[in-house]
Amino acid sequence: MKKNIFIGAVITAAVSGAAVAGASNDQTIGEHKEVSAYQALQTAFSHVEGFVKEVELSFEGDENHYEVEIESSADEYEFHVDAASGEVVWQDSSTAS
């Protein structure tokens, strides 16, 4: 039950325009301008509707991306959104349990 309340708070913050996880548009990764967690979330939402499970910034070598997990009524989706360009670079889905 507490998990559902937290997810609802994240969605409410995202819908109202607040930055998710304290990210802002002015952050940089190395010399690359990064998109915000909110922008990465909106990119994922342009592909699927559902509830946010997680938004996490991942640093892997020279590649940095947001891992966005969304759950719909039937499926769970994971998107990797490039932190510099804001483009989806990988996605996967599985049946929700």
Side-chain angles (χ1 to χ4, degrees):
M1 184 66 154
K2 290 182 181 181
K3 184 176 182 179
N4 292 341
I5 293 170
F6 176 74
I7 291 172
V10 170
I11 291 171
T12 301
V15 170
S16 68
V20 177
S24 76
N25 293 339
D26 296 328
Q27 290 180 329
T28 59
I29 298 176
E31 295 184 19
H32 299 285
K33 186 78 169 175
E34 103 175 33
V35 299
S36 68
Y38 176 77
Q39 290 167 317
L41 181 59
Q42 292 306 307
T43 298
F45 276 145
S46 72
H47 293 272
V48 65
E49 293 182 7
F51 297 97
V52 177
K53 289 183 68 177
E54 182 177 350
V55 178
E56 179 181 330
L57 183 57
S58 178
F59 302 94
E60 297 178 10
D62 291 338
E63 302 291 323
N64 304 313
H65 63 269
Y66 286 97
E67 296 177 9
V68 180
E69 295 181 23
I70 297 175
E71 183 174 338
S72 71
S73 59
D75 296 313
E76 294 179 2
Y77 300 88
E78 183 175 351
F79 296 91
H80 289 187
V81 179
D82 186 275
S85 70
E87 296 179 12
V88 174
V89 293
W90 180 86
Q91 67 183 44
D92 191 25
S93 64
S94 60
T95 304
S97 50

